Amino acid sequence: MPKKKKVQKKRKVPLIFRLIKGAFYLGFLGLFSVGGIFLWYAQDIPPLSEMKLATRRPSVIFLTRDHKEIAAKGDVVGEPVNAKNVPKNLINALIATEDRNFYDHIGIDFVGLTRAMLANLKAGRIVQGGSTLTQQLAKNLFLSHDRSLERKIKELVLAFRLEREFTKNEIISMYLNRVYLGGGVFGVDAASQLYFGKLVTHLSISEGAIIAGLMKAPSRYARNHDLLRKRGLVVLNNMLREYFITQKEYAVAKEEVKTMKLGRTMRGSHYRYFTDWVMTEVQDLVNINQDLIIVTTLDSTLQKKADKKLNEILDQYKDKSVEQGSFMAMAYGGAVRAMIGGRNYGHSQYNLAYQARRQGGSVFKSIIYLAALAKGIPSTHLLDDATYTNKDWTVNNFGWRSRGMITLEDALIYSVNTATVRLAEMVGIGDILKTVRTLGFSGNVPRNLSIALGTSGCTLLELVSAFTIIANEGIAIKPYGVLEVLNDEGKILYKRQGIRPHQIIDRKVAAQMRSLLVKVVDQGTGKNAQIKDKVVGGKTGTSQKFRDAWFVGFTDKLVAGVWVGNMDERPMNRVTGGTIPAILWRQIMTP
């Protein structure tokens, strides 16, 4: 009987070795996949020749509607700089704060990335970023600022290519020339002139710390100089920690930052609020990565006059605790003729004419009355002007003695709160909101009767646009500031074409509303806006606790608006729309 063959048992591989083998295969597969993804997205990366061209930021020249230059090359982008010619302390401030391993990494700082991840995990929120200067440059040169995975991968690919093709000094030079630093300026030279009124080559340690500090949140710090000074102190601490400055230099620079005055009057600074706004329009019309000449709708005479009068009247009424103001004028077709976004562009680049959303107060009542007229309620309709009470909400009048029943017309002329709330109740919130949207207001509007008192936030641009539609017989308008865009060779890239008139408010209703607004100025709260031998219509507005005061009105050719108040929303000293705003409006609009 033959012997059975002995079956040899397969040797069991230890678990640890199997895990190592699996991890190796997974790692190889992951590395292969990542490489494939990088190669795929690398196909869309711009050629290196474009990278070299992109080291220079395109210049922009702005012209008025009659082709007078109002802002030229250097006002917006400054002169190109080289890292070798920039103060060493500015470079050190940038390195210490934004990318301390800049001279050692290959475009991605794995040590810094790990450190940032640990800090964020410990804090439970994002407190540190891991992007290198090279990554930031890649994003600024070619990529959008969205947070998609595709954009991040392209940023990494570009960072590697930049590091391979350029020296560290070339990379940092490109960064210094292209970085956005708030106030509509790009590059450290333009920022140096904006904030300190000097060339970048003359910056001190403390001034360099301020410029480097802007890079974290340029728009935020540009409009809040107290925050910017605090950020400057953080930068100085970083420089001390990295041994870029001595303890003595730190102490001196620290005191300088605390008392530093930021912002200087730049050439053509009273135009800058307007040109910043215009650039938001231009970027949707043409490719802005080229030298441009922009012919705008601006009336330079009106712009200068508005800037001068605004500062004069706010100086005159210092005792009224009002520090800021804005002005905007628009032709009936929507062309913006003047825009003043604040008292001093050098001190604050936040545009109060189109960025600030403040309570409209009684000027917003005009929308309620327009909706009422559109619904067929006549101007002779009687309304009760007694105190209005609804559950725990009570509405009283400001400076109005109750007369019992008053007409809709008188309720608007004298801005009677209680009668307006009752009118809003009659019209209905749905119809009011429909009118609000038709006129182009985009903010969050309360769906309750408080809307009748102007509790809704709105911009001066929105209010002036709405009044332009009323003055323009109910025809739709879209505010614009660009007539023509040319390249540096004179080739027309964009030319504004006329648009077909589109009726959005019934013509008869618009005419009725216009007539009522004329009576507000002739007989009511807007008397201070009267101009001799001119028909003027408009509406005053004052928000709760005198935080905002408005006057928006029209003549036969222009619609314009004034807002005054304080940036931090502190109450003024009983300033109403019929006082400073109406007076200023008349001073600017009087020929």
Side-chain angles (χ1 to χ4, degrees), residues 239-351:
M239 294 177 74
L240 180 65
R241 183 194 62 215
E242 297 297 318
Y243 302 102
F244 286 137
I245 55 176
T246 65
Q247 189 69 48
K248 184 178 179 180
E249 287 173 326
Y250 169 77
V252 172
K254 182 180 178 181
E255 292 307 310
E256 289 176 354
V257 165
K258 287 180 179 179
T259 58
M260 185 178 285
K261 289 185 178 181
L262 298 168
R264 296 291 185 270
T265 301
M266 298 174 66
R267 183 172 75 82
S269 62
H270 51 275
Y271 296 116
R272 292 298 301 278
Y273 290 112
F274 174 74
T275 55
D276 285 358
W277 175 70
V278 163
M279 279 307 296
T280 65
E281 183 181 352
V282 172
Q283 65 187 11
D284 293 329
L285 301 175
V286 300
N287 175 14
I288 61 172
N289 292 314
Q290 57 184 313
D291 292 345
L292 298 174
I293 300 170
I294 302 170
V295 183
T296 74
T297 58
L298 195 78
D299 181 326
S300 59
T301 301
L302 182 61
Q303 177 80 1
K304 289 177 183 177
K305 184 179 182 181
D307 184 68
K308 181 174 181 287
K309 293 294 183 182
L310 174 66
N311 280 281
E312 284 179 355
I313 202 166
L314 293 182
D315 286 339
Q316 181 183 342
Y317 288 97
K318 281 182 178 178
D319 61 318
K320 294 296 184 179
S321 300
V322 52
E323 295 178 356
Q324 270 296 357
S326 59
F327 173 82
M328 174 175 289
M330 186 183 297
Y332 276 25
V336 174
R337 298 294 186 219
M339 178 185 285
I340 307 295
R343 294 194 68 176
N344 189 314
Y345 184 89
H347 291 162
S348 173
Q349 294 79 50
Y350 184 61
N351 194 325

Side-chain angles (χ1 to χ4, degrees), residues 98-99 102 105 107-109 130-137 155 159 163 175:
E98 295 292 323
D99 188 357
F102 173 71
H105 63 62
I108 300 175
D109 181 8
S131 291
T132 64
L133 287 177
T134 315
Q135 288 175 256
Q136 293 177 43
L137 175 63
E155 177 188 302
E163 289 279 350
Y175 184 88

Side-chain angles (χ1 to χ4, degrees), residues 76 95-96 109 146 207 240 248 251 283 303 360-361 376 385 412 420 453 465 493 523 534 537:
V76 178
I95 298 298
D109 181 8
D146 64 281
E207 291 165 343
L240 180 65
K248 184 178 179 180
Q283 65 187 11
Q303 177 80 1
D385 73 349
L412 176 63
T420 305
L453 303 180
S465 299
L493 305 176
Q523 308 167 30
K534 269 193 175 291

Side-chain angles (χ1 to χ4, degrees), residues 159-230:
F160 280 127
R161 291 185 65 183
L162 284 167
E163 289 279 350
R164 188 180 65 193
E165 186 67 20
F166 300 102
T167 66
K168 289 289 186 178
N169 272 349
E170 286 174 330
I171 289 172
I172 208 163
S173 296
M174 285 189 272
Y175 184 88
L176 293 172
N177 285 315
R178 293 299 299 255
V179 65
Y180 180 64
L181 291 167
V185 300
F186 293 85
V188 293
D189 185 62
S192 179
Q193 293 181 54
L194 173 63
Y195 294 100
F196 303 111
K198 62 172 69 173
L199 297 175
V200 68
T201 51
H202 297 148
L203 288 182
S204 65
I205 294 175
S206 57
E207 291 165 343
I210 290 291
I211 297 296
L214 280 161
M215 295 172 188
K216 181 180 181 181
S219 296
R220 181 186 180 204
Y221 290 133
R223 64 174 181 256
N224 190 325
H225 290 173
D226 288 334
L227 281 179
L228 179 53
R229 290 186 192 90
K230 290 178 181 178

Side-chain angles (χ1 to χ4, degrees), residues 350-360 364 436-437 440-445 455-463 548 550 563 567 569:
Y350 184 61
N351 194 325
L352 293 163
Y354 89 94
Q355 289 179 304
R357 191 166 289 281
R358 309 283 293 228
Q359 282 195 357
F364 204 82
V436 168
R437 298 306 179 202
F441 291 91
S442 60
N444 293 323
V445 181
T455 56
S456 176
C458 53
T459 67
L460 183 60
L461 176 61
E462 288 176 336
L463 285 170
D548 308 274
W550 311 77
W563 168 87
M567 288 279 281
E569 299 196 17

